[in-house]
Amino acid sequence: MASNVVAHAGALIQQRVNGAAMQRGAAAAAAAAKSFQRCASASSSSSSAAAAAASSLPAEKVTEDESMHSLPRRLLMSTGPSNTHPRALAAMSTVQVGHMHEAFYPLLDDIKLRLQQVLHTSSPYTMAISGGGHSAMEAMVANMMEDGDKMVVCVNGIWGERIVEIGKRLGVEVLTARAPLGRSFSLDQIESVVSLHKPKALFMCHGESSTGVYQNLDGVKDVCAKHGALLMVDTVCTLGGVEFRPDESGVDVMYSGAQKCLSSVPGASPFFMSEKAMEALMSRKSLPRTYNYDLKELGNYWNWFGEGTRRYHHTPPIGSFYALREALDITVGEGMENVWERHREMTRMLWDGLDSLGLEPYVEREEDRLVTVNTIKIPEGIDWKRVCAHAMETRNLEIGGGLGPTVGKVWRIGIMGYNARPENVAMTLEAFKASLDAGRL
Ligand SMILES: *Cc1c(COP(=O)(O)O)cnc(C)c1O
């Protein structure tokens, strides 16, 4: 451990040095891209072949105004993506190396180590799945379940529903437990459904972002241990915002996302497995119904098994990995306790302000309310869409509407990572105040 700390500190220093270079690199890259755009449009008017090619494109696509440099700067206070931390964004434009180059491997090791630190886990099985949260969802189900295996899915919003859908498509026998929207599951309910079905795995969503519900995991591990079930958890909108300790909570598989509380870019999703989950994976009788996300193959590439040689499986999103490494480093550097406390504090500030505007939480019980995704009841006589549009048009500020079953019922405000700062919360409250007036019917 001591040598890890030293290595970690060394890497930090190295990064600070690289960081400065990255900032310069990013500025240079942006300038170069801009001048390339200019050249491209100039030459297309001088050569008739190029002009013909250009004329077959939608006209607005070739003008500089429509280039990515004119994308609006927005404050993304919905539920993700949240604004990317500038250090994570800059890390992406450092330099390209090959994913099978020796020089790249320490970066993979770094992601593993930092994820272990974020998760307070001693499990060596951490990695980033290539792709967004949904890729990690499919990776989990396809690798942990075989045809006809029983999986109990706790459904109290869209994410449980999607795991049900993924399970069915993969030939899993899916059983559901349901809680009313806006409510979490009680331990009694979990005990009764697990003891009834004795599934191979139980799925729970730590933070249901469609409804803003937090799921307490206390005691669930004992239920799972008693009935021999693996515990699989979604932490896409909670990791890096809400306390989560898989070893203590007895979680066997966890997937998360990069673009929510970790303030990285989408495309590389944190993934974790316990020793018990690994044993289940190794004792499968059939091959997983996914090639792209075959965890034995990915585990080799991430050097989970100490095999020495890493085999080419697929080309991962190298840039997203740079950003994720940086984002994890920032999170660990702040200290996990501090990170969680900052999120709690900003959420208190948000609700103090919403309360004074006369707005109410959608989630009835305080203990069920998620810190990172706040669902706000839409009052009578207010056009919710107009409120969102007004905030966007006048302030470039994103207020989220509902998702799935909560569309038209709530607004959703994310308190996530880099965005979870007093000035952003103040700006959001100010936008709400002005936009509520604009949205009055
Ligand atoms: C956002 C989210 C996902 C899906 O993540 P994508 O990166 O959009 O695929 C899954 N689960 C929860 C709880 C989420 O909030």
Side-chain angles (χ1 to χ4, degrees):
M1 196 61 216
S3 66
N4 271 351
V5 172
V6 174
H8 183 61
L12 271 176
I13 292 162
Q14 188 54 45
Q15 251 172 2
R16 300 256 150 73
V17 175
N18 290 344
M22 275 175 205
Q23 304 273 3
R24 287 193 297 280
K34 203 150 189 169
S35 78
F36 171 76
Q37 288 275 346
R38 251 180 246 122
C39 292
S41 44
S43 68
S44 65
S45 57
S46 64
S47 131
S48 60
S55 70
S56 69
L57 292 169
E60 60 278 5
K61 286 279 190 270
V62 292
T63 68
E64 196 177 35
D65 284 347
E66 290 296 312
S67 77
M68 68 179 202
H69 304 296
S70 63
L71 284 174
R73 291 185 181 271
R74 291 183 165 159
L75 180 57
L76 308 176
M77 294 303 284
S78 184
T79 58
S82 55
N83 290 82
T84 307
H85 194 290
R87 259 178 67 192
L89 207 51
M92 295 188 75
S93 53
T94 330
V95 64
Q96 186 68 283
V97 295
H99 65 291
M100 299 307 295
H101 293 182
E102 288 283 342
F104 186 61
Y105 298 156
L107 184 131
L108 300 175
D109 293 339
D110 243 32
I111 291 176
K112 281 197 298 188
L113 172 67
R114 279 154 220 238
L115 262 178
Q116 286 173 319
Q117 293 168 333
V118 165
L119 295 166
H120 293 103
T121 183
S122 56
S123 169
Y125 309 122
T126 54
M127 68 158 71
I129 293 282
S130 302
H134 281 78
S135 303
M137 289 162 86
E138 286 201 331
M140 177 185 76
V141 178
N143 280 276
M144 301 320 299
M145 299 286 124
E146 296 188 59
D147 282 23
D149 277 349
K150 283 187 192 171
M151 171 170 76
V152 166
V153 180
C154 293
V155 182
N156 58 348
I158 200 176
W159 303 111
E161 298 285 8
R162 294 222 169 157
I163 291 289
V164 168
E165 178 67 23
I166 290 170
K168 283 185 179 163
R169 290 186 188 205
L170 289 166
V172 177
E173 189 184 336
V174 182
L175 304 144
T176 57
R178 289 182 184 267
L181 295 177
R183 290 285 285 264
S184 68
F185 289 84
S186 71
L187 201 52
D188 282 350
Q189 207 180 346
I190 296 163
E191 165 81 54
S192 68
V193 71
V194 173
S195 64
L196 175 67
H197 298 300
K198 307 215 169 11
K200 179 173 179 187
L202 168 72
F203 170 84
M204 303 198 85
C205 192
H206 192 225
E208 194 16 282
S209 52
S210 64
T211 56
V213 168
Y214 165 73
Q215 178 63 52
N216 190 331
L217 298 171
D218 290 351
V220 178
K221 73 170 174 188
D222 301 325
V223 174
C224 286
K226 190 166 151 199
H227 300 287
L230 295 166
L231 176 56
M232 311 196 297
V233 176
D234 173 321
T235 67
V236 177
C237 74
T238 51
L239 193 68
V242 180
E243 182 164 5
F244 178 73
R245 300 172 189 264
D247 292 5
E248 275 180 30
S249 301
V251 172
D252 294 300
V253 188
M254 176 227 74
Y255 63 84
S256 192
Q259 75 277 16
K260 299 198 179 175
C261 302
L262 293 170
S263 303
S264 186
V265 297
S269 299
F271 198 84
F272 156 92
M273 284 170 76
S274 70
E275 203 63 61
K276 200 166 114 208
M278 185 52 70
E279 281 163 25
L281 177 71
M282 290 303 170
S283 54
R284 286 182 66 102
K285 293 178 203 76
S286 59
L287 288 170
R289 285 180 172 269
T290 172
Y291 185 83
N292 197 25
Y293 295 113
D294 183 327
L295 282 173
K296 284 190 197 169
E297 289 299 320
L298 303 184
N300 162 276
Y301 179 65
W302 283 84
N303 199 25
W304 272 2
F305 315 119
E307 289 165 306
T309 33
R310 303 188 200 228
R311 287 187 300 276
Y312 166 61
H313 177 258
H314 68 271
T315 308
I318 294 169
S320 292
F321 282 10
Y322 290 164
L324 180 64
R325 195 265 299 256
E326 204 70 8
L328 291 170
D329 182 56
I330 292 163
T331 307
V332 170
E334 183 178 347
M336 296 313 296
E337 301 281 349
N338 299 335
V339 168
W340 301 325
E341 179 51 30
R342 176 167 54 84
H343 283 78
R344 281 193 295 267
E345 218 173 285
M346 289 303 99
T347 300
R348 276 195 294 270
M349 178 180 168
L350 176 72
W351 280 107
D352 281 350
L354 291 173
D355 189 48
S356 67
L357 292 174
L359 294 170
E360 292 171 7
Y362 170 76
V363 178
E364 306 257 309
R365 299 188 307 186
E366 202 167 342
E367 68 269 28
D368 285 343
R369 288 182 201 147
L370 193 51
V371 166
T372 50
V373 175
N374 297 273
T375 42
I376 304 156
K377 262 195 221 163
I378 295 165
E380 290 284 318
I382 301 278
D383 179 342
W384 69 271
K385 271 191 196 163
R386 232 197 269 165
V387 171
C388 299
H390 185 263
M392 187 63 93
E393 283 158 17
T394 59
R395 290 163 175 77
N396 262 326
L397 186 143
E398 184 182 24
I399 290 173
L403 175 67
T406 60
V407 172
K409 293 187 177 142
V410 301
W411 289 292
R412 296 182 304 155
I413 293 294
I415 294 292
M416 294 183 163
Y418 174 64
N419 277 0
R421 282 176 288 139
E423 61 271 30
N424 293 338
V425 175
M427 217 182 295
T428 305
L429 289 168
E430 189 272 327
F432 249 111
K433 190 161 186 279
S435 305
L436 273 179
D437 285 333
R440 236 171 272 284
L441 293 168

